[in-house]
Amino acid sequence: GQQLNQSPQSMFIQEGEDVSMNCTSSSIFNTWLWYKQEPGEGPVLLIALYKAGELTSNGRLTAQFGITRKDSFLNISASIPSDVGIYFCAGQRSSNTGKLIFGQGTTLQVKP
Amino acid sequence: NAGVTQTPKFQVLKTGQSMTLQCAQDMNHEYMSWYRQDPGMGLRLIHYSVGAGITDQGEVPNGYNVSRSTTEDFPLRLLSAAPSQTSVYFCASSPGTGRSDTQYFGPGTRLTVL
């Protein structure tokens, strides 16, 4: 089935460092979403992107919708221990279908 | 609001047994979906619904049935459980109008099939 390629698979960084992860696809998406999942919980929406080129921030998080509509990235600045978790990108090809396609996830560990 | 609730949190089945995973939301959302999460695979869509009485298949529908008789509830049925269905199952809902892509997830059901 269709997949989003998310990288890196995992990251182990020092507290205070910046983090960057991205998601690519061979197909065009109309919506890109970034979620965070903590152990034993469901994914929680961080940022939603709806237009090519859109750059959106949520606190220390910044995400961009690629111009080609085939990619997106998420940056976390000045990481802190509570940033630990699995970050997923998700895309939707057509609007208002309720069908999301997820990347494989990036596992982030932060060393205090 | 409780948001999206799922029961049970954990379940162990034997091969061939049937069961229903429950999902309910109290946000009056039109869209509801079921996903399964396997290690290294992200979340994959099983079935989804855009309103009461309307359901459709997702990426991995085989072995699962759904129905949507009310806006609030969207149960997922395993008719004859198989070890390949061992996974974590998440239910999600979204408004269905405007920004319908912003899905809210439940806490998950961890299912083991022996």
Side-chain angles (χ1 to χ4, degrees), chain A residues 79-102:
Chain A
S79 59
I80 59 178
S82 61
D83 290 334
V84 165
I86 304 177
Y87 291 79
F88 290 100
C89 63
Q92 181 165 282
R93 295 185 66 184
S94 301
S95 298
N96 292 339
T97 63
K99 297 173 68 174
L100 292 182
I101 297 170
F102 280 81

Side-chain angles (χ1 to χ4, degrees), chain A residues 1-3 31 33 35 37 40-43 45 48 50 86 88 92 94-100 102-105, chain B residues 9 31 33 35 37 40-43 45 48 50 57 59 90 94 96-107 110:
Chain A
Q2 185 175 5
Q3 271 200 325
T31 304
L33 305 167
Y35 285 86
Q37 185 180 29
E41 304 290 332
L45 182 67
Y50 300 100
I86 304 177
F88 290 100
Q92 181 165 282
S94 301
S95 298
N96 292 339
T97 63
K99 297 173 68 174
L100 292 182
F102 280 81
Q104 303 96 321
Chain B
K9 290 206 74 171
Y31 290 7
S33 308
Y35 295 84
Q37 183 176 26
M41 297 287 291
L43 285 82
L45 183 64
Y48 68 103
V50 298
Q57 295 181 348
E59 182 184 356
F90 288 100
S94 58
T97 56
R99 301 301 193 191
S100 68
D101 320 287
T102 52
Q103 296 194 13
Y104 298 86
F105 285 82
R110 284 142 188 84

Side-chain angles (χ1 to χ4, degrees), chain A residues 38-112:
Chain A
E38 299 188 7
E41 304 290 332
V44 174
L45 182 67
L46 297 173
I47 292 179
L49 302 160
Y50 300 100
K51 293 181 182 177
E54 181 180 356
L55 184 72
T56 298
S57 293
N58 178 8
R60 293 178 295 106
L61 278 61
T62 302
Q64 185 158 26
F65 193 143
I67 291 292
T68 65
R69 293 162 65 192
K70 293 182 179 180
D71 62 341
S72 177
F73 72 76
L74 175 71
N75 287 342
I76 305 173
S77 62
S79 59
I80 59 178
S82 61
D83 290 334
V84 165
I86 304 177
Y87 291 79
F88 290 100
C89 63
Q92 181 165 282
R93 295 185 66 184
S94 301
S95 298
N96 292 339
T97 63
K99 297 173 68 174
L100 292 182
I101 297 170
F102 280 81
Q104 303 96 321
T106 295
T107 300
L108 178 64
Q109 294 178 292
V110 179
K111 184 178 181 181

Side-chain angles (χ1 to χ4, degrees), chain A residues 2-55:
Chain A
Q2 185 175 5
Q3 271 200 325
L4 298 181
N5 298 311
Q6 189 172 345
S7 65
Q9 274 192 315
S10 62
M11 303 180 75
F12 190 89
I13 62 171
Q14 197 78 30
E15 182 177 1
E17 289 183 356
D18 296 343
V19 172
S20 184
M21 59 191 77
N22 66 75
C23 219
T24 61
S25 171
S26 57
S27 303
I28 289 174
F29 285 89
N30 285 330
T31 304
W32 284 93
L33 305 167
W34 285 92
Y35 285 86
K36 179 187 178 186
Q37 185 180 29
E38 299 188 7
E41 304 290 332
V44 174
L45 182 67
L46 297 173
I47 292 179
L49 302 160
Y50 300 100
K51 293 181 182 177
E54 181 180 356
L55 184 72

Side-chain angles (χ1 to χ4, degrees), chain B residues 11-83:
Chain B
Q11 182 70 50
V12 179
L13 294 177
K14 294 181 180 178
T15 297
Q17 285 186 315
S18 63
M19 81 158 293
T20 299
L21 308 185
Q22 302 292 344
C23 174
Q25 53 91 9
D26 61 359
M27 299 175 282
N28 202 30
H29 285 173
E30 288 295 318
Y31 290 7
M32 297 186 75
S33 308
W34 275 103
Y35 295 84
R36 60 176 289 172
Q37 183 176 26
D38 302 295
M41 297 287 291
L43 285 82
R44 291 181 292 169
L45 183 64
I46 304 172
H47 285 285
Y48 68 103
S49 168
V50 298
I54 306 169
T55 63
D56 204 349
Q57 295 181 348
E59 182 184 356
V60 287
N62 292 342
Y64 307 96
N65 279 356
V66 292
S67 60
R68 184 96 180 271
S69 56
T70 67
T71 299
E72 293 78 18
D73 301 297
F74 191 42
L76 178 72
R77 296 185 187 84
L78 283 71
L79 301 178
S80 179

